Structures are given as structure tokens and as C-alpha cells.
Amino acid sequence: MLLELDLDAPQDFDFIIGEWNVRHSRLKEILSDSDEWYEFTGESATVKTLGGFGNIEDNHLHFPEASIRAKAIRSYNAQTREWSIWWLDGRNPASMDTPVVGTFNEKVGQFFANDTFNDQPIKVRFIWNATNPEIPTWEQAFSKDDGKTWETNWKMMFTRK
């Protein structure tokens, strides 16, 4: 039985609810001044949870070397009006990534976290762009200079199944 959604639940991520084909582009070498990308496909399906104050995205990513499963788990804090996004990767099922936290403004969401990459402190940025809800996009970028410059290292383009 599905639970009813709260009437005051946020609608920021409503554009991604449903089933999608995903086109991925990823840098071959991250934070090494590389501009060589590789591409692969995937699928995702997202459902609302927490009465609409959250959602769960199930992913199947077809990397060139292997297909993997992963989940994005998102929750909304009504007091701060911010979303938190966690990533759970099937290759490391015992831990979730540091959550990125942020908000939407005019259908573009920006989310940030402090993390590490190869034992280096970095800032992480996700940008969700739903200005075209039929083909939303997501990108991830890292900064090793406290957000002065960013290197986008992963892009995703979604099309409805």
C-alpha cells in the first residue's frame, strides 16, 4: 500500500519521478587536467518517499568495464528548506558517500559538500537542471581550491522510457 503524499511536500524533484534512459559522460582522469571523456548508458527509476519529502532513485550504470547498481537517496528538510542527497554504490555497499546539500532556484538545483578524493580535501558540487523537464540533466564537479575553480567530471542526460 502506498502512503499518501503530504500536501505541503516540496515539488523540486518531481521532474525526475518515473523511469528514464540515461546517457553518461565521464572524465577518464579526474583532477589531473584531463579533457578525455568516455560515454556509457544506463537506466534509472525514481519514486517518492517520506510523504513526498524524499525520493529514491534506483540506477543501473553500464560502465565500459562492468554494469553496476547504485541508489541516490534524497530528503528535504522543511526547516532549512534544503535537500540532502546521498549516493550508495553497489561496488561499496557498506558505506554511503558524504551527502551534498542545497536548494533549487528556477528549476536549477545546486548542492555542495566537503569530501576527499585520492586522500585530497575537495569540494563537491552537483547541479540538477530541470529547465527542460523532458530532458533533465545532472553534473558533478570537484574543486581542489575551495570552490574557486571547478572541474566537471560526470554528466548525465535523462530521457523518459
Side-chain angles (χ1 to χ4, degrees), residues 16-144:
I16 203 67
I17 303 303
E19 295 186 3
W20 299 86
N21 291 310
V22 186
R23 186 82 183 141
H24 298 264
S25 298
R26 222 170 150 188
L27 269 182
K28 284 191 174 183
E29 295 183 36
I30 296 172
L31 294 179
S32 63
D33 295 320
S34 171
D35 63 357
E36 193 174 349
W37 293 78
Y38 66 98
E39 296 192 355
F40 57 99
T41 62
E43 299 85 33
S44 75
T46 305
V47 295
K48 290 187 179 191
T49 188
L50 301 172
F53 285 83
N55 60 67
I56 298 174
E57 179 182 337
D58 190 24
N59 292 278
H60 196 190
L61 299 95
H62 306 294
F63 287 103
E65 64 277 8
S67 290
I68 66 146
R69 296 284 185 165
K71 284 203 178 291
I73 301 160
R74 305 181 187 100
S75 66
Y76 183 77
N77 182 326
Q79 283 73 42
T80 64
R81 297 183 174 188
E82 293 178 313
W83 285 92
S84 295
I85 306 172
W86 292 264
W87 182 253
L88 177 61
D89 191 314
R91 294 170 293 185
N92 187 13
S95 75
M96 294 187 6
D97 285 355
T98 301
V100 292
V101 178
T103 60
F104 276 85
N105 184 19
E106 297 186 18
K107 300 188 186 239
V108 176
Q110 292 195 57
F111 308 87
F112 299 91
N114 293 316
D115 206 346
T116 59
F117 180 77
N118 290 338
D119 298 321
Q120 251 185 17
I122 61 164
K123 286 197 175 291
V124 177
R125 180 185 71 197
F126 288 4
I127 296 178
W128 272 103
N129 187 329
T131 55
N132 180 352
E134 295 305 308
I135 307 174
T137 61
W138 171 90
E139 67 178 48
Q140 173 181 270
F142 292 169
S143 173
K144 55 185 178 181

